[in-house]
Amino acid sequence: MRRTRGGKNRGRSKSRTVESRWTEVDRYFSEHLLGSDPILESALEASAKAELPPISVSPNQGKLLQMLAQIVDARSILEVGTLAGYSTIWLARGLRSGGHVVTLEVDSKHAEVAKGNFKRAGLQKVIELRLGNALETLPTLFAEGRAPFDLIFIDADKQNIPAYFEWALKLSHPGTLIVVDNVVRDGGVIDPDSTDPSIQGVRRFIEMLGTESRATGTAIQTVGIKGYDGFAIALVGDNDSQ
Ligand code: SAH
Ligand code: DHB
Ligand code: MG
């Protein structure tokens, strides 16, 4: 279920009131902590104009991605799921100078919108977009010896998160940070009988991460302009990183 993103719909039901408060708080933080950013704003405008779904990370989440890239001093970043490239631009801004982002997208319309956004952001030389199913482009990247990446953001179709996480581990080095978006889905993640392949994908991933000796991880629930969701973070270690 997709949540309403507008902030002015103070509904009668309790849950809608709470959601509008989440939205207002998100706006309050972004107003004070992020300021206005014409390049990122125009990226979202281009996305809306092309009628792409409004599911980019929020501004506050984007800033977190940028800061995580800065914290790991990222020279190479991999993203699975580009959409209009909004999160990609945030990630690229966290790169150390001379670094690069590879972003994977299956939909050619999304890729065209993203490329326009990268150009307007002056990042077309820093961001490489690979068009194709990530289940195919990930093995290609590996075969080409493009690994390892310092930061990997997984944000494509949710049913394939386990496969993307497996590839992310192969494309990592000790110290690589792997961030996975949308692991809460309105709380749906705790339903073992869910018939939703996205929920099942997230659940299999969480269970993999819990028993994975090459990485240690946690997951954080979030509320805000994207409703109730969350992200998982895994840190790749040498071995036995539990
Ligand atoms: N990271 C973006 C949002 C990505 S939305 C942001 O926050 O700004 C998810 C994207 O993953 C969509 O553009 C969708 O087309 C893409 N996608 C879905 N399945 C995919 C696949 N198998 N391989 C590559 N991309 C895929
Ligand atoms: C959806 C996908 C996302 O990556 C996201 O952040 C929010 C929603 C979706 O497919 O509904
Ligand atoms: Mg997402």
Side-chain angles (χ1 to χ4, degrees), residues 55 155 158 181-182 226:
I55 57 175
D155 191 21
K158 312 308 165 190
D181 196 21
N182 311 115
K226 293 191 71 186

Side-chain angles (χ1 to χ4, degrees), residues 82 102-106 128-132 137 140-141 144 146:
T82 316
V102 177
T103 185
L104 311 180
E105 176 55 57
V106 72
E128 179 192 348
L129 189 154
R130 293 205 174 189
L131 185 61
T137 51
T140 304
L141 278 177
E144 286 174 2
R146 291 295 300 272

Side-chain angles (χ1 to χ4, degrees), residues 55-57 65 79-88 104-107 110 132-135 137 153 155-158 160 164 181 226:
I55 57 175
S56 307
V57 294
L65 291 175
E79 176 179 64
V80 186
T82 316
L83 191 66
Y86 181 77
S87 54
T88 328
L104 311 180
E105 176 55 57
V106 72
D107 186 310
H110 299 181
N133 185 337
L135 293 173
T137 51
F153 180 46
D155 191 21
D157 54 319
K158 312 308 165 190
N160 286 315
Y164 299 146
D181 196 21
K226 293 191 71 186

Side-chain angles (χ1 to χ4, degrees), residues 65-140:
L65 291 175
Q66 177 193 307
M67 290 171 65
L68 290 174
Q70 289 169 322
I71 290 164
V72 302
D73 194 19
R75 167 194 335 241
S76 59
I77 297 177
L78 173 63
E79 176 179 64
V80 186
T82 316
L83 191 66
Y86 181 77
S87 54
T88 328
I89 294 172
W90 277 110
L91 286 164
R93 288 179 173 185
L95 282 169
R96 76 153 83 154
S97 73
H100 67 274
V101 182
V102 177
T103 185
L104 311 180
E105 176 55 57
V106 72
D107 186 310
S108 56
K109 183 179 169 192
H110 299 181
E112 284 314 307
V113 176
K115 282 191 211 159
N117 285 335
F118 300 154
K119 197 152 189 213
R120 265 189 300 278
L123 289 167
Q124 70 275 26
K125 294 214 168 89
V126 172
I127 300 171
E128 179 192 348
L129 189 154
R130 293 205 174 189
L131 185 61
N133 185 337
L135 293 173
E136 287 160 22
T137 51
L138 285 164
T140 304

